[in-house]
Amino acid sequence: MNNYRGISLISTIVKLLSAIVTNRIRYAVEKDNVLVREQAGFRTREECAAQVIALVECVQRRWNKEMRPTYACFIDLRKAFDRVPHEALFRKLESLGIRGRCLEFYRGLYRSSWTQVSSRISDTLSPAFPFCRGVRQGDPSSPLLFDLFINDLLEQCRLFGIRVVGLPESSIGTENRLPGLMFADDVVLLSPSRHCLEASMRKVSEYLTKLEMEVGASKCGVTVFHRCVDKVRRRQWQLQGKDIPVVEEYRYLGIDLNCNLDEGFTVRRQIQRYRQKLHMATPFLRNGRIPMDLRLRVVKSCLLPSLLWVSEWWDMHQLHAKRLSLVLNQTLRMVVGVHMKHTGVSIPALYTELGIPSVESLIAGRRARLWAKGPSIWVKNTKAWLLRRLGSSAVREIERSPRGSKALQRAVQQVIHHKWLTTGKMTQTNTWKEYCQYALQNGSALLRDSSLDYPEYSKSLSWLMRIRTRCPCCLANVPETLSHFLCECARWGPKRLGIFGPMAILLTKIPAIFDGSCYCLLGGRFVATASLEENSNAITVEEMQEKKALDKSIHRWWTTGESTYQACTRSTLVALELDNGSSQCGFRTDLPGFILVGQFLEAVMGIRMSIIDNLRRFSLDSDDVNNTTTSRRPEGYGEAIGIA
């Protein structure tokens, strides 16, 4: 019977009534401090990250201040929620002051409980039998009832706990001893010596036997922090007569901890588990037919939280943040469709294009959010870190945000991410400079949101994002520019005319109007830089207005599919060489321009890459035979490099 899990089937009205009663009891319990401070499971303003940090902080203080090791025993209760005896639970509630109608409500709720077992083989139900043990799975009151049931577990061994350095005498009882920590059914015992740990384990064994609970010995472990584990192996450790293994590392609340509490070890294990999840999600993330927005939601909701799990503990170590960034970079490259070893990708542009903050800013925001919840052991360190990274004025502004909300987290993320985009080493690449110069970030949100509106063009949008974040000319040493590739290359003329229609006539001429005009086809905008304004002899006011009018027309076509261009001067008409000689060329398509640009890239990039590969092999073969005469060029060579 180790492979079953009971599910409580009750009506919605009963669940609503149970939630109302539970909230009233929870308010009274928290107000009167009925639950011990060591219990953090299913409580407001408590979380796994704070519990892990509390454990690490208590152990590190003992070692850093007093050079004393800490002995620990991690306990896992076997099917804890399914083994709670009902009568023992009701007696415990009555002893805590929960009587009258509330107690009768819970008695009536469990008195009418019956259980049936469903068989997958024969698809039948067993006869109903009374349900006399275990809290209801799925009932809103079950978490609180379980916390109250094992509330005094650690009280039996408080005398054998550790003293927390730096806390006043009245913080944790009269003797300032911490016997351990609890997160629902995950218990860890803390003791200053081997004899105290043995005594704590005996007390816990007696208490669990009295409550008819059972430990899962295979998931338990005994260790010692900041001392050799071999001294612990000499003893035999038992709980309820079962041998408990001695471990050098243990996974507590999803975080791998070793006997030295090494952050680097935890980060490496975190990355290892993330790579396993990424390997399972690779076919989904690489599928260009799936809308980009759906793949990004999977990254944000499933992969990214596992990568940053309890990252608040790592104290903003730059090496740890760099390791996590490298793994996330691989994930984002996979989503966009860029090869892992391709060096022409601008990482800041990739993050901006996909709307994901940097890893450093995410960790900083999580740390600030946890500080806002009020753990006293971290207030000084976190505030000093905020002052060092953000400055006093920024910290004062952030402190005005509502404490306990995510406003502080978002504010810190924005500040750190902006600093990363402006002062980071990866922002010095030419690709990122061009990305910012032509304001390509203005179109990133439109591309992400439109992936669901145009799911049939998901692969086209992937190509458009790919070329917006990298240089298309870096795969080979050929005299090719982005403007030549998008607007002028004669090899792609038929495809350009077939996809863009009348707009193709304008596309072939706009590079002659102003430099960087090709970036308008990627969602960028024309920006009148200081160098253009200073060079007043080369650019007149009419020409500047003409560039802005063309930029406005292309941007309107790019976003909506409709464009009407009004020429401002006669020189533009001559440059455009319009056959009708009119000062207007108006047209409308059923699809916006960014969809057409993506279709064009999807149609030509595969052919272009095959040509580049032929050029590479041709160059290698020529070097091997040391040809002194002109060798025959592969097919498509002239068109690929723009030579007639």
Side-chain angles (χ1 to χ4, degrees):
M1 297 296 290
N2 294 327
N3 58 348
Y4 75 93
R5 174 67 64 184
I7 300 176
S8 177
L9 300 178
I10 57 179
S11 63
T12 305
I13 300 299
V14 177
K15 285 187 178 181
L16 181 60
L17 180 60
S18 178
I20 295 174
V21 176
T22 302
N23 289 336
R24 291 181 178 180
I25 297 177
R26 188 186 301 276
Y27 175 78
V29 166
E30 295 291 348
K31 182 180 178 181
D32 298 336
N33 296 323
V34 175
L35 292 175
V36 294
R37 294 188 60 183
E38 292 84 359
Q39 177 62 267
F42 309 115
R43 300 183 66 180
T44 58
R45 305 184 68 81
E46 297 287 351
E47 57 182 83
C48 293
Q51 193 76 345
V52 174
I53 291 170
L55 171 63
V56 174
E57 185 77 13
C58 294
V59 174
Q60 294 284 37
R61 285 188 183 188
R62 285 177 49 81
W63 179 253
N64 295 334
K65 298 293 184 180
E66 301 178 354
M67 299 295 292
R68 294 182 178 179
T70 303
Y71 293 81
C73 176
F74 296 93
I75 303 175
D76 180 78
L77 301 181
R78 182 172 175 268
K79 292 189 176 295
F81 291 88
D82 298 328
R83 288 180 172 272
V84 178
H86 292 174
E87 290 301 324
L89 173 63
F90 298 146
R91 288 194 178 186
K92 181 62 70 68
L93 294 179
E94 188 174 4
S95 65
L96 295 176
I98 302 175
R99 306 183 182 91
R101 294 181 178 179
C102 290
L103 183 58
E104 290 300 323
F105 170 76
Y106 288 122
R107 285 184 180 274
L109 185 64
Y110 282 88
R111 187 183 300 117
S112 59
S113 300
W114 294 83
T115 304
Q116 288 181 298
V117 179
S118 175
S119 176
R120 293 184 178 181
I121 300 177
S122 59
D123 196 15
T124 59
L125 293 176
S126 68
F129 55 91
F131 178 62
C132 302
R133 183 184 294 271
V135 294
R136 288 177 173 269
Q137 299 287 340
D139 185 16
S141 63
S142 297
L144 179 61
L145 294 179
F146 183 81
D147 282 351
L148 295 174
F149 182 69
I150 64 169
N151 185 49
D152 51 352
L153 171 64
L154 296 180
E155 291 295 334
Q156 312 297 323
C157 49
R158 186 170 293 276
L159 293 176
F160 309 105
I162 62 174
R163 295 182 181 272
V164 181
V165 179
L167 293 185
E169 292 294 330
S170 59
S171 295
I172 309 178
T174 56
E175 298 186 4
N176 189 21
R177 287 186 179 272
L178 179 67
L181 296 172
M182 293 191 298
F183 197 90
D185 59 332
D186 292 312
V187 184
V188 53
L189 301 178
L190 301 176
S191 298
S193 64
R194 292 172 291 181
H195 304 287
C196 292
L197 183 61
E198 287 179 341
S200 295
M201 295 175 66
R202 284 195 300 268
K203 291 291 185 179
V204 170
S205 299
E206 296 174 359
Y207 181 84
L208 294 178
T209 303
K210 181 180 178 180
L211 294 183
E212 300 181 11
M213 304 289 286
E214 183 181 352
V215 298
S218 60
K219 296 183 179 180
C220 299
V222 174
T223 188
V224 55
F225 295 110
H226 299 297
R227 180 162 289 187
C228 183
V229 185
D230 294 336
K231 296 182 179 181
V232 185
R233 298 185 189 274
R234 301 172 185 173
R235 293 177 176 264
Q236 186 177 12
W237 306 90
Q238 289 187 345
L239 279 172
Q240 293 183 326
K242 301 178 181 180
D243 293 335
I244 305 300
V246 177
V247 295
E248 296 184 2
E249 57 188 61
Y250 187 85
R251 180 173 297 179
Y252 179 63
L253 300 181
I255 286 294
D256 291 318
L257 304 174
N258 62 356
C259 56
N260 295 322
L261 295 180
D262 183 16
E263 297 178 5
F265 168 80
T266 303
V267 173
R268 289 191 296 270
R269 285 298 182 89
Q270 198 86 343
I271 293 176
Q272 182 179 358
R273 292 200 303 269
Y274 177 82
R275 290 187 183 276
Q276 294 176 357
K277 296 182 179 180
L278 181 62
H279 178 72
M280 293 186 294
T282 296
F284 177 82
L285 298 179
R286 288 185 179 274
N287 194 341
R289 298 299 179 183
I290 300 177
M292 179 76 66
D293 188 66
L294 290 180
R295 288 180 283 162
L296 282 178
R297 291 186 183 184
V298 170
V299 173
K300 294 179 181 179
S301 60
C302 300
L303 297 178
L304 194 56
S306 64
L307 182 64
L308 302 178
W309 181 247
V310 195
S311 58
E312 298 88 344
W313 167 41
W314 299 332
D315 199 20
M316 282 306 300
H317 200 292
Q318 292 185 359
L319 178 60
H320 302 334
K322 183 178 179 180
R323 291 175 177 174
L324 298 178
S325 299
L326 293 177
V327 183
L328 185 57
N329 294 346
Q330 296 178 0
T331 305
L332 300 184
R333 286 169 175 260
M334 192 178 299
V335 172
V336 177
V338 180
H339 195 272
M340 300 299 176
K341 297 183 179 180
H342 182 54
T343 59
V345 179
S346 173
I347 299 301
L350 188 62
Y351 278 77
T352 305
E353 193 76 7
L354 299 179
I356 296 181
S358 62
V359 172
E360 184 177 350
S361 63
L362 289 174
I363 297 178
R366 285 169 170 256
R367 184 184 177 101
R369 178 193 57 80
L370 189 62
W371 171 65
K373 297 181 73 171
S376 58
I377 59 176
W378 256 35
V379 169
K380 295 182 179 179
N381 293 340
T382 303
K383 191 169 184 177
W385 173 82
L386 289 173
L387 290 172
R388 185 172 64 253
R389 294 300 301 269
L390 307 180
S392 58
S393 59
V395 171
R396 285 195 299 269
E397 182 179 354
I398 291 174
E399 284 181 337
R400 300 190 188 101
S401 303
R403 294 180 66 87
S405 65
K406 291 190 177 181
L408 179 63
Q409 180 179 3
R410 290 192 296 267
V412 174
Q413 280 186 6
Q414 292 176 0
V415 173
I416 300 297
H417 185 64
H418 176 72
K419 185 175 294 186
W420 180 72
L421 291 178
T422 54
T423 62
K425 294 182 179 180
M426 292 182 293
T427 60
Q428 306 301 322
T429 60
N430 294 330
T431 307
W432 172 247
K433 292 179 181 179
E434 293 177 353
Y435 189 90
C436 297
Q437 179 181 358
Y438 298 105
L440 291 179
Q441 63 272 18
N442 295 336
S444 58
L446 177 62
L447 293 180
R448 294 194 304 270
D449 298 338
S450 300
S451 61
L452 293 179
D453 298 334
Y454 303 95
E456 64 274 18
Y457 301 107
S458 298
K459 195 169 183 179
S460 302
L461 293 177
S462 298
W463 274 110
L464 181 56
M465 279 193 173
R466 205 178 304 180
I467 200 172
R468 281 164 54 94
T469 56
R470 70 169 182 172
C471 175
C473 314
C474 59
L475 297 178
N477 186 18
V478 293
E480 182 186 32
T481 63
L482 183 61
S483 176
H484 169 81
F485 171 71
L486 290 177
C487 304
E488 298 175 338
C489 184
R491 180 176 181 83
W492 319 123
K495 293 185 179 297
R496 192 182 295 113
L497 182 62
I499 294 176
F500 294 115
M503 188 65 180
I505 303 176
L506 182 61
L507 295 182
T508 57
K509 304 300 180 182
I510 59 174
I513 300 178
F514 64 89
D515 295 334
S517 57
C518 59
Y519 286 95
C520 297
L521 302 180
L522 304 181
R525 301 300 300 271
F526 170 72
V527 180
T529 59
S531 59
L532 293 176
E533 294 178 354
E534 292 176 359
N535 193 4
S536 58
N537 297 328
I539 301 178
T540 62
V541 177
E542 293 182 352
E543 291 176 345
M544 183 67 68
Q545 295 177 353
E546 186 176 352
K547 300 176 190 297
K548 293 181 179 180
L550 178 61
D551 168 73
K552 183 177 180 180
S553 175
I554 296 177
H555 184 72
R556 184 178 180 182
W557 167 81
W558 196 81
T559 54
T560 63
E562 181 179 1
S563 177
T564 302
Y565 174 61
Q566 176 71 35
C568 298
T569 61
R570 184 176 179 81
S571 60
T572 304
L573 297 178
V574 175
L576 292 177
E577 297 180 359
L578 299 177
D579 296 336
N580 54 7
S582 173
S583 61
Q584 294 184 357
C585 59
F587 48 87
R588 180 176 178 84
T589 60
D590 296 334
L591 296 173
F594 65 86
I595 293 292
L596 299 180
V597 175
Q599 283 186 300
F600 172 74
L601 295 174
E602 181 183 3
V604 304
M605 286 300 289
I607 304 175
R608 178 184 177 276
M609 287 183 175
S610 63
I611 294 176
I612 296 299
D613 291 338
N614 291 335
L615 289 173
R616 284 178 172 178
R617 290 192 293 269
F618 171 76
S619 177
L620 293 175
D621 294 341
S622 299
D623 294 339
D624 292 339
V625 298
N626 295 323
N627 290 333
T628 56
T629 60
T630 304
S631 303
R632 184 179 63 86
R633 294 175 175 176
E635 182 181 358
Y637 176 82
E639 292 84 353
I641 62 175
I643 301 177

